Amino acid sequence: MLRLRAVCPFSWRMFQFRPYSCEPLISQMNKCTDEEQLFDLIEKNKAILSEKQLGCGFNILWQFQKQKTSSLKNVECIRNHPQFLTLLNLTTSKMEFLKDSTLVNVLYITQKFAVEAHDPLVEALVTEAWRRMERFDIDVLSKFSSCLADQHLYFSPLMGKIADIVNRNLETIQDLRSLSVLMVSISSLISQRFQEQLVNKTELLFDSIDSSQVITARRIVQFLRNIKYSYYPLLERCNKVFLSNANHLDLESISKILTLYHSLQFHSFEFIIMAKKRLTEMIPLFSQPASFVKLFVALGPLAGPEEKKQLKSTILLMSEELTSQQALAVMGAMEEMESRNSHLIKRIASILHKNLDNYKPVELLKITQALIFLHFRSKELFVKLQELLLSYLKISVIPSEICILVCAISMLPSPHLDEAGISRIEAVLPQCDLSDLNGFATSVLRWIEYDHMYLDSNTGKQLKLLQKLDHYAHQRLQNCNDLNLLWEELRSLKGDWFADSLLEETVATLQRLMDEINYINVARIASFISRTNYLSTLLLDRIASVVIQQIEKIHPFAVLAVILPFSILNYDPPQRDEFFGTCIQHLNSYLGLLDPLKLVFLGFSLATLQYFPEDLLKAIFNIKFLARLDSQLELLCSSLNMRVQFRLMELNRAVCLECPEYQIPWFHDRFCQQQYNKDIGSMNGAQQQIYKMLAEVLGGINFVKASVLTPYYHTIGFECILDKRKKPLPYESHNITLGKLPEMHWGSNTQIVGSRLPPGAERIALEFLDPRAFCRNIPHLKGKSAMKKRHLEILGYRVIQMALS
């Protein structure tokens, strides 16, 4: 016996401390009805508890916790209970005997009970799991990665090790549920090639999951959001899972999915309609601020007038109970809803004011933006905001945070930045990316404009700062050697500074890297070009070539983004017919699946290029589609709603004028009358001077008309009529007061004007175009202006277009 003990000390120790049977005690644990019963058992048996019984104890505690309604209060009670501490201490002493799954499960549950990351047990569990990690199965590894993510260890060596294990074993992984957890956890660390491998693996395994796996589908969408990749095939499949489980989606799920879709710019009309219906049904179900605020944020931007009224009245009643974070969420939602409820704005602003000291810099920026957008005015609040922002600026060393602070300060009613603030900006410039540099420049330009208005003396320092911003931005562009990294910095750039100072250098950099344009990034690069108004034939030709060669790998949902720069800039690539024909053919089988808004914008973009695919037009101009579009317009903010209606009208006009053989009716008379009645007003100074000049040249004011409205509601700057000898003809009735636009007569406005002229006479349309009608870098007419010229010629005009400098 002694020899046996000497040879097998480990086995003897195990035998000594374990009871012969664990089952009776585990059975007793399973029969407990509350935590106190369980803790009594732990107290009575703490001297003999095995690692299996300890794991069972943690599991039962967690099952009880999941059944609680007031979970936060209960978590605190459990965490401070003496027998919970006993459970922690016993687990620490038996750490090495815990099974892999039990080890990680205990770590997971202790974190759910809010045990701090620096607690000795948590540290010991993480260390032991790290030691064993190579042998973990996929399920245990995924749960461990989730525990690390809960500790915000996204960039830790430990998470890097998990990413390496997943990479080495990816081919053998068959459990998409566990893989989706790992994908979200490691998403901050992985290369683009690894991202693509994970996306491909997810596609292969997707059909293996049950159609009710909403959580797995949601994690896949979250992964795509984390890596900033709007991969439509996976998004569509996940969307189908969400729609098929619509009746089981709770507020938390709908809210998260909407947020993820918004980040990915993925639009699903069916999901939004479903979400609106489900969320509206939930309005009477929530009376607590925490839940109702979440509902307000999710439903508010989608809600109709009645639902918005109900949401606002309810949130107003519970406004006194809102926490600082809840008030911030409500204010953000009100900005998105374009709310003008002054009473509610004032109440929420009051809560924000009381809690300003508790907000982080990025939250202070959100508050500033929302208050400015909602036209809220409070000198006291803005003074406090400015003091806080400046105090943060003095101590901050992170470039992106400093940029946020400077941006918020520049938006305040009386922006001010002293020498210390300017020095703080200058100190971080070498570390800034293009996005931060653009943010600084936008802020500095606001200060220059403000100082110019109030004759301040700081403008010289600000101009020197702008020069430094130019220097570092050009340096960064010249040193860039990766197209995808460049696009990450360019994706949100806009504003005067970028357009005036950086655009040419940016295009040169894109041209230098254009061999890297492929089916994955082609839509992104095309979208960026669309925003610039800069015509680079090299880049557009490359885009067209990539699309023709790799069209099968480009999702139809991305085709609009690809076509858009050609439409806006009025450019035909050398392979024009093959390029547009390929795009249109690729779209045909998806016409019924495209978002209604995208279909309208796509039809208009093609129309500017003189492409009118019959299948596409039939898909748009039918009662069923227009009804769907009307339903979706109700969910949009007012500016986007109006933009869509204008695009539909312009497409309708283009089809009627350029493709009368399709016999699509003109149905926008009432809409146009409403819009153009709003626009009747006075001529500006430049228009008056041109009008006087033309009147003198042509022989009097009765020989020229200003702001003429044509059939199909095109407006012309000036119109005159020349007879067959090219001499001006007077208008029969032409009463005008200088400075006022003539009265517009609404009649049968779709007649072709040329039919009412004397034989041999012609109407002349004189269009004075501002620089926005041309590409930024060359005097090349953009798509909309070129299309208008075609339409006026069809209507019988001879068009003379002149550029205003």
Side-chain angles (χ1 to χ4, degrees):
M1 184 68 178
L2 291 172
R3 186 180 301 165
L4 179 63
R5 289 181 63 176
V7 173
C8 304
F10 175 76
S11 300
W12 180 257
R13 190 168 72 246
M14 291 287 289
F15 176 78
Q16 192 177 30
F17 285 97
R18 287 190 181 193
Y20 285 103
S21 172
C22 301
E23 291 304 314
L25 185 52
I26 287 178
S27 296
Q28 290 179 59
M29 287 180 170
N30 285 324
K31 290 176 182 177
C32 290
T33 57
D34 59 35
E35 293 93 341
E36 286 303 327
Q37 287 185 12
L38 181 65
F39 284 143
D40 285 344
L41 274 177
I42 291 169
E43 169 64 20
K44 290 174 184 175
N45 297 279
K46 61 185 178 183
I48 60 167
L49 283 174
S50 70
E51 63 276 5
K52 186 175 181 181
Q53 291 161 346
L54 288 169
C56 180
F58 277 106
N59 278 331
I60 292 170
L61 276 177
W62 180 233
Q63 293 306 315
F64 287 149
Q65 177 61 24
K66 288 193 288 187
Q67 298 166 14
K68 303 293 181 182
T69 51
S70 56
S71 58
L72 287 176
K73 185 177 180 182
N74 192 67
V75 160
E76 190 174 348
C77 292
I78 298 298
R79 193 175 65 244
N80 296 327
H81 197 286
Q83 297 314 313
F84 185 72
L85 298 175
T86 299
L87 204 57
L88 297 183
N89 292 332
L90 287 171
T91 305
T92 304
S93 67
K94 296 180 183 292
M95 181 82 63
E96 60 186 295
F97 306 123
L98 295 176
K99 290 171 57 179
D100 293 347
S101 58
T102 305
L103 178 82
V104 173
N105 196 48
V106 169
L107 175 62
Y108 176 81
I109 293 170
T110 54
Q111 289 186 183
K112 292 301 178 185
F113 281 109
V115 178
E116 296 289 345
H118 55 74
D119 182 272
L121 174 62
V122 174
E123 290 181 344
L125 288 166
V126 171
T127 303
E128 182 66 17
W130 191 341
R131 189 176 65 80
R132 304 184 192 185
M133 199 162 49
E134 285 285 353
R135 74 186 194 206
F136 283 171
D137 65 30
I138 186 69
D139 184 54
V140 174
L141 189 67
S142 70
K143 183 172 274 191
F144 182 46
S145 76
S146 179
C147 293
L148 297 177
D150 287 343
Q151 293 186 29
H152 306 291
L153 297 174
Y154 300 104
F155 298 98
S156 67
L158 190 46
M159 195 71 87
K161 182 65 175 174
I162 292 175
D164 177 58
I165 293 170
V166 175
N167 188 31
R168 285 188 277 114
N169 295 279
L170 188 59
E171 286 188 13
T172 62
I173 295 173
Q174 298 301 316
D175 180 3
L176 184 55
R177 186 196 65 78
S178 296
L179 181 60
S180 68
V181 176
L182 287 162
M183 286 161 58
V184 172
S185 299
I186 67 176
S187 56
S188 302
L189 291 171
I190 57 181
S191 66
Q192 185 179 340
R193 182 173 174 275
F194 192 13
Q195 290 172 9
E196 292 170 22
Q197 289 175 329
L198 287 169
V199 168
N200 293 337
K201 184 70 175 182
T202 303
E203 284 194 286
L204 287 173
L205 296 178
F206 198 92
D207 292 333
S208 67
I209 66 169
D210 189 278
S211 61
S212 64
Q213 286 289 324
V214 170
I215 294 177
T216 300
R218 198 175 78 192
R219 286 197 204 101
I220 292 167
V221 177
Q222 187 175 343
F223 170 71
L224 293 172
R225 192 278 307 271
N226 288 358
I227 65 172
K228 300 172 184 176
Y229 184 20
S230 297
Y231 186 64
Y232 292 115
L234 268 183
L235 288 171
E236 284 182 280
R237 295 172 82 174
C238 292
N239 194 57
K240 287 178 182 176
V241 172
F242 301 144
L243 291 173
S244 64
N245 291 276
N247 293 331
H248 305 294
L249 293 179
D250 58 10
L251 172 60
E252 181 76 15
S253 294
I254 294 173
S255 178
K256 283 188 175 179
I257 293 166
L258 286 170
T259 302
L260 292 170
Y261 279 3
H262 180 74
S263 297
L264 288 164
Q265 296 184 320
F266 177 73
H267 304 284
S268 168
F269 176 61
E270 289 77 11
F271 184 83
I272 291 174
I273 292 293
M274 179 278 293
K276 180 184 176 185
K277 179 177 179 294
R278 291 278 293 124
L279 293 171
T280 302
E281 292 167 355
M282 295 178 190
I283 293 177
L285 304 180
F286 300 111
S287 56
Q288 296 300 316
S291 300
F292 196 82
V293 165
K294 192 165 286 188
L295 179 67
F296 185 92
V297 171
L299 178 58
L302 311 178
E306 285 304 312
E307 291 89 1
K308 282 182 179 177
K309 186 178 179 182
Q310 193 174 352
L311 288 170
K312 290 175 184 177
S313 61
T314 305
I315 206 76
L316 190 58
L317 290 173
M318 58 176 64
S319 59
E320 294 298 327
E321 305 172 58
L322 298 182
T323 66
S324 60
Q325 288 302 311
Q326 289 165 356
L328 177 63
V330 169
M331 183 61 80
M334 291 170 66
E335 179 184 9
E336 198 172 345
M337 294 159 66
E338 300 178 346
S339 173
R340 292 294 179 263
N341 186 320
S342 58
H343 189 35
L344 180 57
I345 294 170
K346 188 175 181 181
R347 185 74 65 88
I348 301 300
S350 173
I351 300 168
L352 296 174
H353 193 175
K354 289 177 189 174
N355 294 280
L356 275 184
D357 292 325
N358 301 324
Y359 291 115
K360 300 173 184 175
V362 69
E363 293 169 337
L364 293 176
L365 174 61
K366 289 178 182 177
I367 290 168
T368 305
Q369 288 172 326
L371 294 175
I372 297 294
F373 179 82
L374 296 172
H375 305 296
F376 179 77
R377 294 287 180 267
S378 167
K379 183 178 180 181
E380 188 182 357
L381 174 54
F382 283 132
V383 167
K384 180 72 182 292
L385 254 177
Q386 190 170 53
E387 289 173 357
L388 267 176
L389 292 165
L390 288 169
S391 67
Y392 274 124
L393 184 59
K394 288 177 183 176
I395 60 172
S396 181
V397 294
I398 303 170
S400 58
E401 186 174 88
I402 292 173
C403 183
I404 285 168
L405 293 165
V406 168
C407 180
I409 293 167
S410 73
M411 295 175 70
L412 293 172
S414 300
H416 172 71
L417 196 67
D418 56 18
E419 285 193 33
I422 291 175
S423 298
R424 178 67 66 178
I425 295 173
E426 291 176 337
V428 297
L429 290 184
Q431 306 166 49
C432 291
D433 62 15
L434 291 172
S435 179
D436 290 334
L437 293 171
N438 187 65
F440 282 132
T442 301
S443 302
V444 172
L445 287 171
R446 285 198 197 108
W447 278 314
I448 290 174
E449 184 180 357
Y450 177 82
D451 291 347
H452 180 72
M453 289 170 59
Y454 293 93
L455 302 176
D456 199 281
S457 59
N458 286 326
T459 305
K461 296 173 186 175
Q462 292 159 354
L463 288 173
K464 286 181 181 177
L465 181 55
L466 270 184
Q467 289 175 348
K468 290 183 179 180
L469 288 165
D470 284 358
H471 167 74
Y472 282 107
H474 281 87
Q475 192 177 67
R476 192 164 184 87
L477 284 168
Q478 289 160 9
N479 294 335
C480 182
N481 289 306
D482 187 306
L483 182 63
N484 292 318
L485 291 178
L486 175 62
W487 180 81
E488 285 296 329
E489 296 187 29
L490 294 177
R491 62 188 303 180
S492 59
L493 293 198
K494 56 186 177 181
D496 293 338
W497 177 75
F498 170 71
D500 295 338
S501 301
L502 282 193
L503 184 53
E504 194 166 334
E505 184 75 45
T506 301
V507 172
T509 305
L510 288 171
Q511 289 175 171
R512 174 165 55 83
L513 301 173
M514 70 181 184
D515 287 343
E516 295 180 33
I517 298 176
N518 55 36
Y519 71 94
I520 294 174
N521 57 31
V522 66
R524 301 172 183 174
I525 303 302
S527 295
F528 173 75
I529 295 170
S530 298
R531 301 201 312 266
T532 65
N533 289 328
Y534 192 105
L535 179 57
S536 165
T537 58
L538 284 174
L539 284 173
L540 291 179
D541 289 349
R542 170 65 182 175
I543 288 170
S545 175
V546 168
V547 170
I548 291 170
Q549 293 170 17
Q550 304 182 30
I551 189 65
E552 294 305 321
K553 297 180 181 179
I554 299 171
H555 197 278
F557 287 7
V559 169
L560 171 59
V562 167
I563 288 175
L564 199 56
F566 297 89
S567 166
I568 291 172
L569 300 171
N570 187 30
Y571 177 71
D572 289 332
Q575 301 155 295
R576 167 190 161 92
D577 292 334
E578 186 180 2
F579 170 59
F580 293 119
T582 298
C583 289
I584 292 164
Q585 186 177 359
H586 193 51
L587 279 167
N588 281 340
S589 59
Y590 274 79
L591 293 178
L593 301 174
L594 278 174
D595 184 83
L597 304 189
K598 280 198 172 182
L599 210 56
V600 170
F601 286 128
L602 181 63
F604 172 77
S605 296
L606 289 168
T608 61
L609 293 159
Q610 292 182 275
Y611 270 87
F612 297 91
E614 189 171 2
D615 289 343
L616 174 65
L617 295 175
K618 285 181 178 178
I620 294 174
F621 292 106
N622 66 75
I623 298 299
K624 186 178 178 181
F625 173 85
L626 294 174
R628 283 183 73 215
L629 182 63
D630 280 341
S631 299
Q632 191 165 6
L633 289 174
E634 295 174 6
L635 307 175
L636 304 179
C637 64
S638 57
S639 57
L640 182 55
N641 181 311
M642 191 53 60
R643 188 172 162 225
V644 174
Q645 290 192 65
F646 263 103
R647 288 292 179 265
L648 182 65
M649 179 275 289
E650 289 167 326
L651 176 59
N652 187 199
R653 175 170 62 196
V655 174
C656 290
L657 285 170
E658 299 191 61
C659 298
E661 67 275 13
Y662 287 164
Q663 297 185 326
I664 291 173
W666 167 250
F667 56 91
H668 278 90
D669 263 325
R670 183 179 298 177
F671 171 78
C672 289
Q673 289 179 23
Q674 290 171 349
Q675 296 308 312
Y676 290 112
N677 273 331
K678 294 177 188 175
D679 294 338
I680 296 176
S682 300
M683 285 191 286
N684 61 36
Q687 287 174 316
Q688 290 185 30
Q689 286 184 330
I690 294 170
Y691 182 78
K692 285 180 182 179
M693 178 188 69
L694 289 172
E696 289 175 8
V697 170
L698 295 170
I701 60 170
N702 59 327
F703 286 90
V704 60
K705 276 188 175 181
S707 297
V708 176
L709 197 62
T710 75
Y712 297 102
Y713 299 87
H714 271 304
T715 53
I716 301 174
F718 301 94
E719 178 195 278
C720 64
I721 303 173
L722 301 181
D723 64 16
K724 60 184 178 181
R725 295 185 298 275
K726 307 303 179 188
K727 291 186 176 180
L729 294 175
Y731 290 92
E732 292 180 5
S733 176
H734 192 68
N735 298 319
I736 187 165
T737 304
L738 194 60
K740 283 287 183 183
L741 297 179
E743 183 182 355
M744 296 185 183
H745 299 282
W746 309 104
S748 179
N749 241 348
T750 54
Q751 294 179 4
I752 302 299
V753 290
S755 61
R756 301 196 298 269
L757 296 177
E762 62 179 347
R763 291 183 187 272
I764 308 296
L766 292 128
E767 286 278 275
F768 290 86
L769 304 175
D770 66 24
R772 290 174 297 179
F774 300 91
C775 297
R776 179 177 286 274
N777 54 320
I778 56 173
H780 176 78
L781 203 60
K782 286 165 60 179
K784 280 192 70 174
S785 298
M787 182 166 68
K788 181 178 179 179
K789 185 174 187 290
R790 290 200 308 271
H791 290 179
L792 293 178
E793 288 170 347
I794 291 170
L795 289 168
Y797 282 95
R798 180 182 170 195
V799 183
I800 301 172
Q801 292 179 317
M802 291 168 278
L804 288 172
S805 57

